Amino acid sequence: MGDKEKMLIVAALIGLSHSFATGSAQAQALAVRSKGLITVAADAKYQGVKLYTEVLPLRRAIADAISMDGLILSPEQQRDWEDYKQATQQAYDDYWKSISTLRTLAF
């Protein structure tokens, strides 16, 4: 993970924290989570897998809120959600590649 990827994740978290703060109670709770992750993502000690384990649960929580709980996003929230998904895509791909590798090694 490079500095550019970290900066994109931090920027996306800032966007989420702002746009979700003005939404429903569920969106506001997600905004609080994203705001808390900003300092974590910016911290130099969080790199690679350690950072991924911090930022991917929020991605899952937002996806679940949309698909399972019916969270409706405003256009601004949708844009910020798409930005976050794009910023964390490498982390997501690396996570699933690791899971796949572990499954292959286990069997």
Side-chain angles (χ1 to χ4, degrees):
M1 164 180 285
D3 289 338
K4 183 178 179 182
E5 184 181 5
K6 278 188 79 141
M7 289 187 329
L8 289 172
I9 291 171
V10 170
L13 285 166
I14 291 169
L16 284 176
S17 70
H18 287 289
S19 67
F20 278 52
T22 60
S24 66
Q26 187 175 25
Q28 290 176 20
L30 293 166
V32 169
R33 282 183 69 178
S34 63
K35 187 175 182 180
L37 285 173
I38 293 168
T39 53
V40 170
D43 192 325
K45 71 180 179 185
Y46 288 94
Q47 297 288 334
V49 173
K50 191 171 185 178
L51 178 63
Y52 298 166
T53 59
E54 296 294 325
V55 299
L56 289 180
L58 177 63
R59 182 180 165 128
R60 174 72 184 255
I62 295 171
D64 286 351
I66 293 167
S67 64
M68 299 175 78
D69 300 335
L71 177 65
I72 306 289
L73 301 180
S74 70
E76 181 183 7
Q77 290 168 332
Q78 183 65 42
R79 184 191 69 237
D80 290 336
W81 165 232
E82 294 297 329
D83 289 348
Y84 186 68
K85 286 193 303 185
Q86 183 175 358
T88 58
Q89 188 61 47
Q90 183 65 44
Y92 185 79
D93 291 345
D94 286 351
Y95 172 81
W96 284 109
K97 186 190 311 182
S98 297
I99 295 295
S100 177
T101 300
L102 288 172
R103 285 183 180 159
T104 301
L105 293 173
F107 296 104

